[in-house]
Amino acid sequence: MVYHVVESQQFDPETLQYLFKRADELRETPELCLKGKILTSLFYESSTRTRLSFESAMIRLGGMVIGTENAREFSSVAKGESLEDSVRVISSYCDVIVLRHDEDGAAKRAAEACDMVPIINGGDGKGQHPTQALLDVYTIYREFGKLDNLKMAMVGDLANGRTVRSLCYLLGKFDDIKIIFVSPDHLKMKEDIRDYLDKKRIIFREEEDLNKVLSEVDVVYMTRIQRERMSDKDYEKAKGKFIINVGNFHLIRKDARIFHPLPHVEEIDLPINIENNDKRVAYFRQAENGLYVRMALLDFVINSN
Ligand code: CP
């Protein structure tokens, strides 16, 4: 059966444990377990980490990469080809497709159209970014040595950010997780995620004062205001509202960590010596972890299914 990766709630705790253990193994000893296999990067939206870490993961495992980083302009999408037709055709050229798209639900549509090779959702509009959630939770596991009994603040644009949505879905699988949402009033976490967390009995609350929560939490998960997904007026209302800088960094506990899916803009404004030397800054390690977790995931979807 083809194992598509569409949304983070599809992973059960056993699969997560397997992937994280496999990521640790491949970090220590890379294997050429995807020799002769081909990955297609099909990207309709810009990306640095997701595309390049997937491509690097494939190459490190002995595989090869084809693709387009601007499918709207440089593929037959420019001539009006549908996403469904594109993935049907591309699936005969490769063994896995990593898709990033600007429309919510695009990965699900692609997966429904493609029964030959796995589709991996590399981010779809305001919908989900399940492999980001995988690397976020893998980073929690590496930094804290556990996946339960944690308190996390999610900060910034929670209405448009797909990473926090996927992360909430994944955190719902673990015990004793508490979440504090800190966002501008017009960019609050949406109802579907709140309902899911209620169902999973995850305790969450909303706060408006970032400094008030910094000393309370194990993880401060910062996010960018998604300027490209809102009006100029809404962006101006949100911009610069929640920032980590030298003025409030000291409020973060010594054993806590700052995460960010990256890219970060003004919401993190720390000097380079802090970013390079203070263990609380975890977001570059988090981005690196993406490579290993994506190696494990590619091996899993291509070789185990
Ligand atoms: N975190 C993330 O998805 O980064 P990119 O947009 O650079 O892929």
Side-chain angles (χ1 to χ4, degrees):
M1 199 184 79
V2 176
Y3 188 95
H4 299 296
V5 176
V6 173
E7 52 189 22
S8 62
Q9 60 270 42
Q10 75 184 71
F11 293 107
D12 55 45
E14 292 70 35
T15 307
L16 292 174
Q17 293 290 354
Y18 169 80
L19 289 172
F20 297 164
K21 194 166 157 279
R22 186 75 179 124
D24 284 346
E25 279 169 17
L26 292 169
R27 180 192 296 261
E28 289 306 312
T29 321
E31 298 166 20
L32 299 182
C33 51
L34 295 181
K35 199 163 186 295
K37 305 289 185 186
I38 298 175
L39 173 148
T40 299
S41 290
L42 184 59
F43 277 60
Y44 290 66
E45 250 191 3
S46 63
S47 166
T48 297
R49 278 145 291 274
T50 309
R51 185 172 69 84
L52 295 179
S53 63
F54 262 117
E55 294 185 359
S56 175
M58 190 67 184
I59 292 165
R60 281 168 191 245
L61 295 176
M64 293 161 285
V65 174
I66 57 175
T68 172
E69 60 185 288
N70 184 353
R72 282 208 187 284
E73 209 176 323
F74 297 129
S75 76
S76 283
V77 173
K79 301 172 203 158
E81 185 167 60
S82 69
L83 173 65
E84 286 82 352
D85 277 4
S86 293
V87 295
R88 261 186 225 117
V89 172
I90 293 166
S91 67
S92 60
Y93 305 153
C94 65
D95 301 282
V96 62
I97 299 172
V98 180
L99 172 72
R100 170 164 289 188
H101 205 283
D102 51 332
E103 289 168 18
D104 310 10
K108 189 160 185 275
R109 277 172 46 213
E112 280 165 5
C114 177
D115 56 6
M116 280 175 58
V117 304
I119 301 282
I120 298 179
N121 182 359
D124 61 338
K126 301 176 191 174
Q128 283 225 22
H129 194 348
T131 68
Q132 178 69 45
L134 280 184
L135 76 90
D136 293 341
V137 174
Y138 177 58
T139 304
I140 292 174
Y141 154 82
R142 287 194 56 91
E143 299 284 326
F144 295 94
K146 61 179 184 179
L147 290 170
D148 48 18
N149 188 23
L150 285 159
K151 192 185 261 195
M152 179 178 288
M154 296 189 186
V155 184
D157 181 355
L158 307 182
N160 298 301
R162 56 198 174 200
T163 66
V164 280
R165 292 174 54 75
S166 284
L167 183 55
C168 283
Y169 278 125
L170 218 45
L171 290 174
K173 312 267 176 189
F174 302 106
D175 296 327
D176 204 9
I177 302 289
K178 296 186 181 68
I179 303 175
I180 306 171
F181 293 128
V182 185
S183 68
D185 200 42
H186 61 300
L187 299 176
K188 285 184 173 178
M189 183 54 86
K190 294 219 171 105
E191 209 56 42
D192 58 337
I193 298 291
R194 293 151 178 268
D195 288 347
Y196 172 83
L197 294 174
D198 276 337
K199 263 188 217 126
K200 294 285 175 180
R201 299 179 194 282
I202 300 281
I203 296 170
F204 64 91
R205 69 174 209 264
E206 292 180 326
E207 285 287 351
E208 286 186 3
D209 185 348
L210 174 60
N211 288 357
K212 210 173 118 188
V213 308
L214 286 180
S215 60
E216 249 191 82
V217 295
D218 303 294
V219 178
V220 185
Y221 192 103
M222 298 296 292
T223 66
R224 179 177 66 90
I225 305 297
Q226 307 260 312
R227 183 179 199 157
E228 66 279 24
R229 303 193 202 281
M230 67 183 73
S231 66
D232 287 349
K233 194 169 152 230
D234 279 351
Y235 177 68
E236 288 306 321
K237 255 168 54 188
K239 186 177 160 232
K241 218 166 157 72
F242 301 112
I243 296 182
I244 300 282
N245 57 21
V246 286
N248 60 3
F249 183 70
H250 66 280
L251 297 173
I252 298 170
R253 289 198 329 246
K254 292 279 182 211
D255 61 348
R257 297 288 183 268
I258 306 172
F259 283 29
H260 195 305
L262 301 178
H264 81 68
V265 282
E266 83 278 345
E267 69 279 0
I268 297 183
D269 184 18
L270 291 171
I272 202 147
N273 69 312
I274 291 185
E275 284 201 314
N276 283 348
N277 300 312
D278 196 300
K279 202 142 173 52
R280 283 171 284 186
V281 174
Y283 38 87
F284 295 118
R285 294 193 295 280
Q286 185 186 355
E288 184 188 353
N289 288 338
L291 172 67
Y292 302 109
V293 98
R294 286 173 174 137
M295 286 166 86
L297 185 67
L298 288 173
D299 176 46
F300 179 70
V301 300
I302 295 173
N303 284 333
S304 313
N305 290 282

